[in-house]
Amino acid sequence: MKSLLRSPAWPGAGGHHRVLFTLMQCVPFAIALAVLVIELTPAHFIYTGPFLTAVPALAAVTLGPKGTTAAAALALAISATTATRNEAWGTPQVYSNFLALALVSVAGFITSRAMQERRQRELDRVRRIAVAAQEVVLRAVPASLGPLRAGSLCLAAGTGARVGGDLYEAVQTRYGVRLIVGDVRGKGLSAVRAVAVALGAFREAVHYEEDLMEVMNRCAAALRREISLPDAYGPEVLLEGFTTALIAQVPDQPIVQLVNRGHPPPMLLHQGRAAPLTPSLESPPLGLEDLIDGLPEKPESYEFLPGDRLLLYTDGVIEARNREGEFFALPEVMEGIGAGPTPPEFLERLHQALTRHTGGDLADDVAMVVADRCNGLPRTPAGGADAG
């Protein structure tokens, strides 16, 4: 039944609403099946013409133009089958049934097409507003940051208009280049509000806090203050809200320092091989600090040599599945692309591979930041990353 319907379901439909909507989609076909059973059993003396006429009319409400056409074709086929079985061809009743069915089918198709176009226009308008709101909070990573060449990419899941909770930023500071990538649980305005709070705290703290752990603590404290505001968030966020975050620092030395709070580890492409920079000690996401007794006291350091490529990403990348349920093989894809393309080209090829893997149907939002360690690049003045 789903293949007959290409128009989106009710926007914002929850679990039981989606089930109810699916049941409504099945009603026209259930009526058609009931008519067929009546006509092929001793109960065929019941006049079923009006029931068949209702099939395309009901389909027009929930199934869209393609579903309405399929329901009308099924109703016409059943009507022709019953007329042949009952040897009723040539009677006025059969032709009046066909005429009524044809008129209702055409009217249902036109109505369904108009409803679909109107819904699409409204969805496009809301999506443009949502994208504009998200772009106010998230900005593209500068192409050049001190010893790094960088790029960023953010992809929205599915066809809906709800903004997600992915966040990223890269800033040149006196301590080196500092980057963050994170994922706020949930979607909608509450997620965008939390993203804005976390990024605001990060953008300020990176310039004043020498300790990278303290930068993460400032983000966590800002989120705690925000969520404590009365009536600022719903019960779902208050009970289950958390944010995974990863902060990286790239100083002049050939290393990268990481603070990971429950986020997928970044991938390092070194000499053609991609490997995750997994923390030695797991830490909970921001907002779930009470689950453990103590947090790591200092960042972890890894080699980050000239020619290496570092990819920071959200879990929408590695949790993307294909039709067989297989996860996206990020290390293999990175190795296949290599370190030759520029960061924007690398992200575009990674995007294409992700699209091929999922068939263009992302189940979750995706945010990625790629950084190449280079030599001989002109240093960006501190604070230059904040421009624009």
Side-chain angles (χ1 to χ4, degrees):
M1 203 76 67
K2 187 177 180 181
S3 62
L4 300 176
L5 179 63
R6 293 297 182 187
S7 57
W10 288 342
H16 80 277
H17 291 96
R18 195 176 300 277
V19 172
L20 179 60
F21 186 69
T22 302
L23 292 176
M24 291 173 61
Q25 290 177 316
C26 297
V27 168
F29 298 94
I31 293 176
L33 179 62
V35 169
L36 185 62
V37 170
I38 290 173
E39 292 293 343
L40 298 181
T41 62
H44 68 272
F45 62 87
I46 300 176
Y47 180 48
T48 59
F51 295 102
L52 278 180
T53 305
V55 169
L58 292 173
V61 178
T62 57
L63 289 177
K66 292 184 178 180
T68 302
T69 302
L74 178 62
L76 287 169
I78 293 176
S79 185
T81 300
T82 57
T84 301
R85 177 180 175 83
N86 298 327
E87 299 179 352
W89 288 106
T91 63
Q93 186 179 38
V94 168
Y95 293 122
S96 63
N97 287 344
F98 272 101
L99 179 60
L101 191 55
L103 290 175
V104 172
S105 298
V106 171
F109 178 85
I110 294 174
T111 302
S112 180
R113 183 68 177 269
M115 291 172 57
Q116 184 186 58
E117 292 177 351
R118 179 180 177 182
R119 182 169 59 245
Q120 188 62 45
R121 286 195 301 268
E122 292 177 351
L123 183 61
D124 290 341
R125 179 176 60 85
V126 175
R127 186 182 295 119
R128 287 194 298 270
I129 296 173
V131 170
Q134 197 161 29
E135 288 178 348
V136 170
V137 180
L138 296 178
R139 56 198 180 196
V141 167
S144 179
L145 285 165
L148 301 179
R149 285 194 179 96
S152 58
L153 179 67
C154 188
L155 304 173
T159 59
R162 300 187 68 191
V163 290
D166 289 357
L167 61 97
Y168 63 85
E169 180 62 289
V171 181
Q172 172 70 21
T173 74
R174 54 182 170 172
Y175 309 110
V177 180
R178 289 178 164 180
L179 309 96
I180 186 173
V181 64
D183 188 359
V184 176
R185 185 186 186 278
K187 290 183 178 293
L189 292 178
S190 61
V192 174
R193 188 183 301 123
V195 167
V197 169
L199 285 179
F202 173 80
R203 288 165 178 162
E204 180 181 5
V206 289
H207 293 289
Y208 302 104
E209 297 292 347
E210 181 177 3
D211 187 353
L212 202 61
M213 302 297 298
E214 191 58 32
V215 175
M216 183 69 83
N217 293 338
R218 291 275 293 272
C219 295
L223 287 171
R224 285 196 299 270
R225 287 194 302 270
E226 177 69 15
I227 207 168
S228 65
L229 295 176
D231 302 325
Y233 293 90
E236 178 184 358
V237 176
L238 293 174
L239 292 175
E240 304 177 17
F242 60 86
T243 300
T244 66
L246 171 75
I247 294 181
Q249 177 172 288
V250 182
D252 291 334
Q253 296 78 24
I255 61 172
V256 58
Q257 298 172 302
L258 300 177
V259 177
N260 193 332
R261 293 291 298 273
H263 199 78
M267 298 294 298
L268 181 68
L269 185 63
H270 172 70
Q271 295 182 350
R273 302 294 296 175
L277 301 182
T278 306
S280 58
L281 180 63
E282 295 290 339
S283 297
L286 306 181
L288 300 180
E289 293 86 355
D290 295 338
L291 296 180
I292 64 173
D293 294 332
L295 295 172
E297 297 181 356
K298 61 181 181 178
E300 297 192 32
S301 297
Y302 305 85
E303 275 193 341
F304 187 27
L305 304 176
D308 288 353
R309 171 163 283 169
L310 183 70
L311 178 69
L312 284 64
Y313 56 92
T314 56
D315 57 8
V317 177
I318 55 175
E319 293 181 0
R321 297 174 182 258
N322 59 13
R323 296 183 181 224
E324 288 73 35
E326 299 170 335
F327 290 109
F328 184 64
L330 180 59
E332 290 81 356
V333 174
M334 288 184 63
E335 292 171 0
I337 299 174
T342 64
E345 293 171 345
F346 174 83
L347 290 175
E348 179 57 31
R349 295 190 188 182
L350 197 56
H351 177 202
Q352 293 172 357
L354 194 61
T355 300
R356 288 193 299 269
H357 180 77
T358 61
D361 185 18
L362 286 174
D364 194 7
D365 296 338
V366 166
M368 294 182 284
V369 176
V370 62
D372 291 353
R373 183 87 190 211
C374 305
N375 277 333
L377 285 177
R379 292 184 60 85
T380 303
D386 292 336

